[in-house]
Amino acid sequence: MMTVKQGFFSLRGSLLFFAILTLLSFTYLSLKYSTPTPQVAKLSVENLNDAPVSEKEEKEEVPDTYHSPRVFKLNYEEMEKKFKVYIYPDGDPNTFYQTPRKLTGKYASEGYFFQNIRESRFCTENPDEAHLFFIPISCHKMRGKGTSYENMTIIVQNYVESLISKYPYWNRTLGADHFFVTCHDVGVRATEGLEFLVKNSIRAVCSPSYDVGFIPHKDVALPQVLQPFALPAGGNDIENRTTLGFWAGHRNSKIRVILARVWENDTELDISNNRISRATGHLVYQKRFYRSKFCICPGGSQVNSARIADSIHYGCIPVILSNYYDLPFNDILDWNKFAVVLKESDVYQLKQILKNISDAEFVTLHNNLVKVQKHFQWNSPPIRFDAFHLVMYDLWLRHHTIKY
């Protein structure tokens, strides 16, 4: 009996031993083939520079000058891949669908947009794939020929009504997916008589004032840029900026009259009653931007001013003194991070407000200003993140609110 019992236990022990050995073998093989070796992991890091562009962009840091950097990055990339605009080909080439008279001067933004849209990837000849429709209205040639505002309005009305009758696209949304661009106040006045155009379509204008019909969630504020710039971009030159604040210009608005009267004799603010004469020296006006910490930007005959883009280009913190002004790219960029935005009534405390900004705060404003300079520059052909692309991004955001 003892021999049989000992054999039984010996057999059970052998089976248990083989079971444990099998389990250990499977565990070893599983670990061996499921865990990457240190060499493979190292190789993937080293090959990061060879990754596709989209993966590289995931690693790029987006400046915090945007309201929501991550949302901006994702939406911008989607816009680049998908956004399409159809340009109506109809119209008298002497009046419509032509680059405005020149790409220079303070109304160059309009001319650059007309040229850039045709150079860009966003233009499509297939209206069925278009997200928005561009009505290429430009009143520059009409203005040059001495056409009255009343006749301009009639010409524009006849043109738009011909598009409505010839194509089905306007009637799908009553024009909500259509837009036009005008930087000069001539173009604004020529279209204001067309209530259905102003009310329904997207207006991209350089004078976006809340108190004259500009609708922020529908319309787009264009930056008024004086190009070409006379001197290179400023920035990263804080040690050279010894003047607290600078302004020189014509007194063609109430706020400018007050600004000159209150501060033109101040020893810390460089305020000139009129534009600086060229007789005083070559590019004296532009060079003062380089020497100033803050550049005062009061509204003129309109709420906007080309001086804002000048200040940004030359690295001088813009001080906005204008009521009812929807600043360019206001829903994209956080202006408080690179500019000082004031009410017109703050003009009387202007110097104290600027002096209360600490050195550390000024350095932050200046560094952020350098980051946004590219957004206020027009190029031909357009360059990623420049003024044209941010206008297109604004349009892309607005097309999402349109319901068919």
Side-chain angles (χ1 to χ4, degrees), residues 130-145:
H131 299 93
L132 292 180
F133 295 80
F134 178 39
I135 303 174
I137 300 170
S138 178
C139 298
H140 280 246
K141 282 195 175 181
M142 287 190 282
R143 178 175 179 265
K145 293 179 178 179

Side-chain angles (χ1 to χ4, degrees), residues 237-253:
D237 51 3
I238 292 175
E239 65 281 358
N240 299 328
R241 299 182 179 276
T242 55
T243 301
L244 178 63
F246 165 63
W247 176 78
H250 299 300
R251 296 192 295 176
N252 57 350
S253 66

Side-chain angles (χ1 to χ4, degrees), residues 146-276:
T147 308
S148 66
Y149 288 116
E150 292 76 14
N151 287 336
M152 284 186 192
T153 301
I154 294 172
I155 294 171
V156 172
Q157 180 173 357
N158 290 338
Y159 173 60
V160 175
E161 288 179 349
S162 71
L163 299 180
I164 294 174
S165 62
K166 183 175 181 180
Y167 300 95
Y169 311 113
W170 175 282
N171 291 325
R172 294 186 311 186
T173 62
L174 294 179
D177 57 355
H178 286 56
F179 74 95
F180 66 94
V181 175
T182 180
C183 194
H184 201 288
D185 55 354
V186 170
V188 174
R189 290 184 62 180
T191 55
E192 281 179 345
L194 308 177
E195 185 176 350
F196 67 95
L197 182 66
V198 172
K199 180 181 178 181
N200 295 352
S201 65
I202 301 168
R203 297 192 302 162
V205 297
C206 281
S207 51
S209 179
Y210 295 133
D211 62 343
V212 292
F214 182 83
I215 305 173
H217 69 271
K218 175 182 77 73
D219 298 330
V220 173
L222 281 178
Q224 188 177 6
V225 184
L226 183 63
Q227 285 189 224
F229 294 106
L231 294 170
N236 301 315
D237 51 3
I238 292 175
E239 65 281 358
N240 299 328
R241 299 182 179 276
T242 55
T243 301
L244 178 63
F246 165 63
W247 176 78
H250 299 300
R251 296 192 295 176
N252 57 350
S253 66
K254 182 179 178 180
I255 184 60
R256 292 188 177 193
V257 171
I258 297 173
L259 176 66
R261 187 179 69 237
V262 174
W263 298 111
E264 65 179 330
N265 295 320
D266 191 86
T267 57
E268 295 179 272
L269 294 176
D270 182 6
I271 305 297
S272 299
N273 199 4
N274 290 294
R275 290 296 294 265
I276 299 171

Side-chain angles (χ1 to χ4, degrees), residues 212-402:
V212 292
F214 182 83
I215 305 173
H217 69 271
K218 175 182 77 73
D219 298 330
V220 173
L222 281 178
Q224 188 177 6
V225 184
L226 183 63
Q227 285 189 224
F229 294 106
L231 294 170
N236 301 315
D237 51 3
I238 292 175
E239 65 281 358
N240 299 328
R241 299 182 179 276
T242 55
T243 301
L244 178 63
F246 165 63
W247 176 78
H250 299 300
R251 296 192 295 176
N252 57 350
S253 66
K254 182 179 178 180
I255 184 60
R256 292 188 177 193
V257 171
I258 297 173
L259 176 66
R261 187 179 69 237
V262 174
W263 298 111
E264 65 179 330
N265 295 320
D266 191 86
T267 57
E268 295 179 272
L269 294 176
D270 182 6
I271 305 297
S272 299
N273 199 4
N274 290 294
R275 290 296 294 265
I276 299 171
S277 172
R278 294 180 181 178
T280 60
H282 184 59
L283 300 176
V284 172
Y285 172 74
Q286 288 82 358
K287 290 175 181 176
R288 289 202 189 177
F289 283 92
Y290 286 140
R291 299 201 303 266
S292 304
K293 293 181 177 180
F294 300 95
C295 289
I296 320 304
C297 303
S301 56
Q302 303 287 337
V303 294
N304 56 300
S305 171
R307 188 172 283 100
I308 296 174
D310 285 345
S311 302
I312 293 172
H313 175 77
Y314 294 119
C316 184
I317 307 300
V319 179
I320 314 299
L321 266 179
S322 188
N323 295 340
Y324 311 113
Y325 186 12
D326 190 65
L327 292 160
F329 315 135
N330 196 31
D331 49 355
I332 305 171
L333 299 174
D334 186 349
W335 278 78
N336 291 314
K337 291 186 176 180
F338 59 90
V340 179
V341 183
L342 304 176
K343 302 185 295 292
E344 290 185 359
S345 58
D346 291 326
V347 66
Y348 300 100
Q349 295 82 39
L350 178 61
K351 185 168 78 169
Q352 194 57 49
I353 290 172
L354 298 182
K355 294 187 75 170
N356 286 344
I357 297 173
S358 68
D359 291 342
E361 290 171 328
F362 171 71
V363 170
T364 300
L365 287 169
H366 181 82
N367 291 338
N368 286 337
L369 187 71
V370 174
K371 295 176 185 177
V372 303
Q373 284 176 331
K374 60 187 175 184
H375 300 320
F376 295 86
Q377 170 80 45
W378 293 90
N379 303 283
S380 183
I383 298 174
R384 208 165 179 248
F385 298 114
D386 67 0
F388 169 74
H389 280 89
L390 255 66
V391 172
M392 294 303 293
Y393 181 76
D394 252 334
L395 291 169
W396 171 251
L397 293 181
R398 279 149 182 76
H399 108 273
H400 284 295
T401 64
I402 300 167

